[in-house]
Amino acid sequence: DFNNPEGINTDEEWNEIRPWLRPVLLNIVKSKKVLLEGVTFKNSPSWCLHPLSCEHITIHNVKVFNPWYSQNGDALDLESCKNALIVNNIFDAGDDAICIKSGKDEDGEPCQNVIVKNNTVLHGHGGFVVGSEMSGGVKNVYVTDCTFLGTDVGLRFKSTRGRGGVVEGIYIHNINMIDIPHEALLFDLFYGGKGAGEETEDDLEGRMKSSVPPVTEKTPAFRDIHITNVTCRSVGRAMFFNGLPEMPISNITVKNVVMTEATDGVVISQVDGVTLENVYVESSKGNNILNVKNAKNLTVDGKVYEELGAKEEILSLK
């Protein structure tokens, strides 16, 4: 809440804290029939483009350049919008590049009916991202023909307990990536607020050891997500699925994937109904390694594993 101070009532009080505030470069709020086209945005203090609660918005042939070290320097945060086209753009971000959000806590409103096509991302914490503010839910999103060059993570889905919201009906097709230092595909329901590589394994394990709460309206849910035709050369861990024990990641399809020059294979935990088909991973730890625990109804090239327990089991993708 540093950028949202409370108790400031006078001009003198605002002027005193003004040097520390980092505003969004372009905010478009509750507007209809919006077109951003052929414009270049650079060096945003915080998020660069932030359409909020808009309808029928098109972002076409836009370029965004933020330095890699710009904290919270997201290129595009499409939040709680309906009927959006994001096509033929170039993003170079200090944080997430193309990010779909739907608000935080009780302020959440749905983000839906979005097409993301033919975009290039040169840098960023994630190429295409959903979350972590997604309390209003995200649905009906189609992502195709995008290229990520050197993003920390490629396809990044993130949230945490208390955020709530449902992410469903996401279709991703024809994604090409190169030089991704962390995961090419990441589902992280224990997101701690830091970028990939900024937190240790101990940080993550500490959050995961907490007691399992009951499912409520504040439990985030990721389901019905289908990813096909993905290639990636030079990547850290190929894929990481990390769902919640009380709300596993469910009904996820990953099909026709080739990842080479990886440091690790595929790690799956807390899922129910994940299908991997024609997935090839070439890693330094051995090709096609699949590490699984706490999974139900996992299908690998037609073979079904109805239930795998808490003990890690090493399987093969082929």
Side-chain angles (χ1 to χ4, degrees):
D1 297 325
F2 187 74
N3 260 1
N4 297 282
E6 297 181 355
I8 308 298
N9 300 309
T10 67
D11 289 343
E12 290 76 13
E13 290 173 327
W14 277 115
N15 288 331
E16 186 175 344
I17 66 169
R18 184 183 179 90
W20 288 274
L21 298 178
R22 294 184 295 113
V24 170
L25 183 60
L26 177 61
N27 236 352
I28 302 174
V29 182
K30 294 184 178 179
S31 301
K32 295 183 178 180
K33 298 182 180 179
V34 177
L35 172 64
L36 289 178
E37 184 174 43
V39 187
T40 299
F41 299 88
K42 297 180 69 173
N43 302 329
S44 172
S46 184
W47 297 353
C48 190
L49 306 179
H50 182 215
L52 173 62
S53 299
C54 294
E55 292 186 25
H56 302 290
I57 177 168
T58 299
I59 300 174
H60 174 249
N61 195 25
V62 165
K63 298 177 182 178
V64 174
F65 299 105
N66 273 348
W68 65 268
Y69 52 81
S70 55
Q71 187 177 13
N72 306 117
D74 299 26
L76 168 64
D77 287 294
L78 187 79
E79 183 170 0
S80 299
C81 292
K82 181 179 181 181
N83 304 335
L85 290 174
I86 304 167
V87 294
N88 302 325
N89 304 292
I90 297 175
F91 299 114
D92 192 353
D95 206 308
D96 291 327
I98 305 167
C99 191
I100 309 298
K101 300 178 182 288
S102 62
K104 187 176 179 181
D105 302 328
E106 65 275 2
D107 295 328
E109 298 177 1
C111 191
Q112 58 190 330
N113 307 340
V114 179
I115 293 177
V116 179
K117 183 176 181 179
N118 196 33
N119 299 284
T120 299
V121 179
L122 303 179
H123 187 271
H125 285 182
F128 172 78
V129 183
V130 176
S132 63
E133 300 91 344
M134 33 73 67
S135 299
V138 175
K139 64 180 180 180
N140 301 341
V141 179
Y142 181 56
V143 183
T144 188
D145 301 324
C146 291
T147 300
F148 307 146
L149 306 172
T151 59
D152 293 347
V153 175
L155 301 168
R156 187 184 190 195
F157 297 84
K158 57 180 180 176
S159 191
T160 192
R161 287 169 175 153
R163 292 287 170 92
V166 177
V167 174
E168 61 185 348
I170 313 296
Y171 297 85
I172 299 175
H173 182 68
N174 278 357
I175 305 296
N176 297 306
M177 308 182 225
I178 189 171
D179 295 333
I180 309 297
H182 300 286
E183 289 84 6
L185 171 58
L186 174 64
F187 289 89
D188 184 10
L189 274 295
F190 286 91
Y191 176 63
K194 296 181 180 180
E198 294 180 354
E199 67 176 10
T200 66
E201 289 291 334
D202 290 340
D203 292 334
L204 178 59
E205 290 180 5
R207 292 196 300 275
M208 292 175 62
K209 288 180 179 178
S210 61
S211 59
V212 179
V215 174
T216 69
E217 61 186 15
K218 293 187 176 182
T219 305
F222 284 70
R223 63 195 184 207
D224 300 332
I225 299 170
H226 308 283
I227 300 167
T228 59
N229 291 20
V230 175
T231 61
C232 182
R233 181 171 68 83
S234 183
V235 62
R237 179 165 48 189
M239 304 181 202
F240 184 31
F241 293 69
N242 193 26
L244 297 171
E246 70 272 22
M247 183 64 73
I249 301 164
S250 64
N251 193 23
I252 310 296
T253 302
V254 181
K255 183 178 180 181
N256 299 337
V257 172
V258 176
M259 298 187 185
T260 58
E261 299 179 31
T263 60
D264 201 353
V266 178
V267 177
I268 291 179
S269 176
Q270 304 294 353
V271 304
D272 186 354
V274 167
T275 298
L276 304 178
E277 182 178 339
N278 194 28
V279 174
Y280 174 77
V281 176
E282 175 191 286
S283 79
S284 59
K285 291 187 177 181
N287 295 346
N288 296 322
I289 291 179
L290 173 59
N291 190 322
V292 183
K293 64 178 181 179
N294 296 319
K296 295 181 179 180
N297 303 309
L298 172 66
T299 303
V300 182
D301 284 333
K303 184 174 181 179
V304 179
Y305 300 86
E306 291 185 356
E307 187 160 1
L308 298 170
K311 181 181 178 181
E312 292 184 355
E313 297 199 31
I314 306 299
L315 309 175
S316 175
L317 290 165
K318 294 290 183 181

